[in-house]
Amino acid sequence: KSGLLRLVRHRLIAQADSPLVISAIGTDLSPPLSSDDSDEWTRAWKERIVRLIAAEIGTKIGVAMTDDTITLVEHAELSGFRSRSIVGALFDRLKSPVTQLTRERLGVENPERLLQRYANGKSTIWLIIDDVDQNFENTARHRLKVATFFIACRQLVASVPELRFRMSVRPNIWSILKRQFEGLSHLQQYICELSWTADEYRTLLAKRV
């Protein structure tokens, strides 16, 4: 499944007018929660995903002229996705109240609303997320963690239509999850059962090499 996701990424990037493509590992995004509340898990997944997108967008912005673009750039810098600009470094050295205000805004700003405003009317944003079901065990906590990830992705797509997700999950795990979590029934229409021809196997192997 990892090879297929990489192939999707290569094809997207190869387009003449390629969209923003973000690759991530599900285990790296996973919220550090011990809760058994599905809503809390869903909110935490959404925040982690949106903050990753915001940081990636911030690395692509040249000159930030609006509050939203300034916030995105600052978020990318503070998250380590982008080196500090000369101006930002000087503000930090002088302990500028402007920089402190920006950091406070990052803490209280609803990142989902920020992404909604920025992405509205722009090109699509693709997230390719691998290993969501890595080391899955059929326990209540693992089922909750993986199921709420998919629920969070569905809610984000409804909130930000410009978002596109590509993930893969093992069929036996999906069967386990959808029996317990009714909300996953809304995703059934987007699921594609994977199968490959001999030519497609050769392509995947070539990309792997």
Side-chain angles (χ1 to χ4, degrees):
K1 62 182 183 177
S2 297
L4 179 62
L5 293 176
R6 282 195 293 270
L7 183 58
V8 171
R9 183 177 185 276
H10 283 302
R11 288 180 174 176
L12 287 169
I13 293 174
Q15 293 178 5
D17 186 18
S18 63
L20 175 60
V21 181
I22 303 170
S23 297
I25 303 297
T27 49
D28 292 341
L29 284 174
S30 180
L33 293 182
S34 57
S35 171
D36 59 358
D37 186 317
S38 62
D39 290 339
E40 187 175 348
W41 270 97
T42 301
R43 287 192 298 270
W45 273 117
K46 287 170 66 177
E47 180 174 352
R48 301 274 288 202
I49 293 169
V50 171
R51 288 190 178 278
L52 170 66
I53 298 170
E56 290 282 359
I57 291 174
T59 66
K60 309 297 182 185
I61 295 173
V63 179
M65 300 297 292
T66 67
D67 284 347
D68 284 347
T69 55
I70 290 171
T71 301
L72 288 166
V73 169
E74 285 284 341
H75 180 54
E77 292 174 347
L78 295 173
S79 301
F81 281 70
R82 174 174 175 151
S83 60
R84 296 288 291 162
S85 65
I86 294 175
V87 173
L90 287 173
F91 275 144
D92 272 354
R93 182 62 62 86
L94 296 172
K95 300 188 181 300
S96 166
V98 174
T99 301
Q100 183 59 34
L101 179 62
T102 302
R103 288 179 172 168
E104 289 173 358
R105 186 169 69 246
L106 281 168
V108 300
E109 170 71 82
N110 182 328
E112 190 174 339
R113 295 278 182 87
L114 174 63
L115 181 59
Q116 281 179 331
R117 293 194 301 268
Y118 178 82
N120 185 34
K122 293 185 173 64
S123 180
T124 54
I125 300 169
W126 286 76
L127 278 88
I128 299 175
I129 304 177
D130 197 7
D131 285 337
V132 175
D133 56 350
Q134 186 180 49
N135 299 323
F136 178 84
E137 297 176 7
N138 193 10
T139 63
R141 185 177 184 278
H142 276 240
R143 291 193 298 268
L144 180 64
K145 180 176 74 170
V146 178
T148 51
F149 166 77
F150 289 106
I151 293 170
C153 292
R154 180 179 66 84
Q155 291 182 4
L156 283 174
V157 169
S159 174
V160 186
E162 293 80 9
L163 288 182
R164 303 287 187 273
F165 286 91
R166 283 295 179 271
M167 301 88 70
S168 60
V169 62
R170 284 169 284 177
N172 61 318
I173 294 177
W174 180 254
S175 298
I176 292 170
L177 296 176
K178 70 180 183 180
R179 284 198 297 267
Q180 180 173 345
F181 296 89
E182 186 274 335
L184 295 181
S185 62
H186 300 291
L187 294 174
Q188 193 64 42
Q189 59 184 314
Y190 305 112
I191 292 176
C192 177
E193 297 288 341
L194 300 180
S195 62
W196 295 276
T197 64
D199 285 342
E200 288 169 334
Y201 270 118
R202 282 191 285 270
T203 300
L204 288 171
L205 287 172
K207 293 294 184 181
R208 180 75 173 180
V209 173

